[in-house]
Amino acid sequence: MLRRSLPLLRRYSTTAASPSAKPTAVSRFWKKSLPSQSADGFRIKLDGRILKNPDGAEIVIPTQNPILANLVAAEWEEMDKLIKAGSLPMTSISVRGIELAGAPETREGVITNLFRYLDTDSILYMRDGSEDGTEGILELQEKYWKSIINWVSAEFQVPITPTYGISSVTQTPEAILKLKEFVEALSPIHLAAFERAVLSSKSFLISTAVLKRGISVDFAVAAARVEVDFQVMKWGEVLDAHDVDYHALRRDLGSVMCALLDK
């Protein structure tokens, strides 16, 4: 019966789940979910049955991540009869981290892909105030985007250069090297968390600040939603769209921050 729940993990293993995904009915057959420690790490047991990944391999969380193991167990403990995409964020990060630990080529490909988000990072593309009615967004950019750019620049001791309008921008080789050293040094679990943050926020720099604990989840969410919040200020909120996206982003970035608790 445990195998019945495993295909759901495959859906969540690499990307941020869509907040609009429909719930999938799964009959809860276990009464208790607990982490169990052994020499090689933590396993999650559902009434004694070991939780496995979609390929049938046991999910073994590294020994240095006891908090993560407890959070994964708590997800399954709190699960009801309906599983919705995104309801297992800690399990997802764990499964992805274990996958990256055992596949160096996949890890290298993930890092390469994540760096594609750097030069296209939304927070690097500022509005210059030449358009009418942009006063509100200029304030949001100053409060969130410039703050993060300045923080990353100071943290890594390299210039981070934004652009204005639609002109493209490329960071210096020195900046790219320092950021690459940071990403390549991440543990598999933290790289999985970083990937989740980048894919959810669409921002390499916001995610870097989150991983380095330079900003809170609330600040990261606000920074990732500057354009959306500006449109909401002008035109109002679309129910079951803007609000759902907000909570999905908050869940994803919150799970990233939780994955760092063992650090």
Side-chain angles (χ1 to χ4, degrees):
M1 294 177 109
L2 179 58
R3 299 286 296 178
R4 203 184 329 168
S5 64
L6 298 181
L8 295 170
L9 299 181
R10 187 187 307 277
R11 198 181 311 161
Y12 310 146
S13 62
T14 58
T15 61
S18 168
S20 61
K22 294 181 179 180
T24 301
V26 174
S27 297
R28 174 167 178 155
F29 59 88
W30 65 95
K31 294 181 180 179
K32 201 70 179 173
S33 169
L34 292 169
S36 175
Q37 185 174 10
S38 55
D40 59 344
F42 294 90
R43 290 167 173 79
I44 309 303
K45 291 187 176 181
L46 308 182
D47 290 346
R49 304 178 186 183
I50 296 174
L51 186 63
K52 298 181 180 181
N53 71 12
D55 296 320
E58 295 181 353
I59 296 174
V60 183
I61 298 170
T63 54
Q64 62 267 34
N65 298 106
I67 296 176
L68 178 61
N70 278 278
L71 289 172
V72 171
E75 283 186 334
W76 290 84
E77 178 70 18
E78 296 300 318
M79 188 184 300
D80 203 346
K81 291 186 177 181
L82 291 179
I83 297 178
K84 190 174 182 180
S87 64
L88 296 167
M90 304 313 303
T91 305
S92 170
I93 288 175
S94 300
V95 170
R96 182 58 163 168
I98 293 167
E99 177 187 2
L100 294 175
E105 290 185 0
T106 300
R107 177 187 172 97
E108 183 179 345
V110 166
I111 292 174
T112 298
N113 182 60
L114 292 175
F115 267 86
R116 295 193 179 103
Y117 284 80
L118 179 56
D119 286 339
T120 60
D121 198 312
S122 59
I123 77 170
L124 291 174
Y125 290 80
M126 307 273 190
R127 298 206 193 191
D128 58 11
S130 60
E131 303 173 49
D132 292 335
T134 58
E135 295 80 7
I137 198 168
L138 297 180
E139 295 173 0
L140 292 173
Q141 287 177 171
E142 187 73 28
K143 180 178 180 179
Y144 295 107
W145 291 1
K146 285 192 177 180
S147 294
I148 292 173
I149 290 170
N150 292 340
W151 186 91
V152 173
S153 179
E155 177 72 12
F156 290 91
Q157 293 296 295
V158 293
I160 301 294
T161 308
T163 186
Y164 294 86
I166 60 174
S167 300
S168 62
V169 64
T170 301
Q171 303 308 309
T172 66
E174 179 188 12
I176 294 172
L177 178 61
K178 286 286 186 71
L179 291 169
K180 194 164 187 180
E181 288 174 350
F182 158 67
V183 176
E184 289 182 339
L186 293 174
S187 70
I189 293 293
H190 288 173
L191 180 58
F194 185 64
E195 181 185 33
R196 166 69 60 81
V198 173
L199 295 180
S200 298
S201 68
K202 305 298 187 292
S203 172
F204 187 100
L205 296 176
I206 291 174
S207 303
T208 297
V210 170
L211 264 286
K212 295 284 284 184
R213 300 187 181 184
I215 59 176
S216 66
V217 170
D218 286 341
F219 196 94
V221 170
R225 286 175 53 88
V226 161
E227 287 282 354
V228 172
D229 286 344
F230 174 62
Q231 296 300 325
V232 169
M233 286 166 52
K234 287 183 67 175
W235 309 109
E237 183 178 69
V238 178
L239 293 179
D240 295 329
H242 291 140
D243 55 334
V244 173
D245 291 343
Y246 166 79
H247 290 293
L249 179 59
R250 186 176 174 80
R251 175 204 64 217
D252 287 340
L253 295 182
S255 68
V256 168
M257 193 68 82
C258 286
L260 306 178
L261 291 175
D262 288 302
K263 191 172 182 178

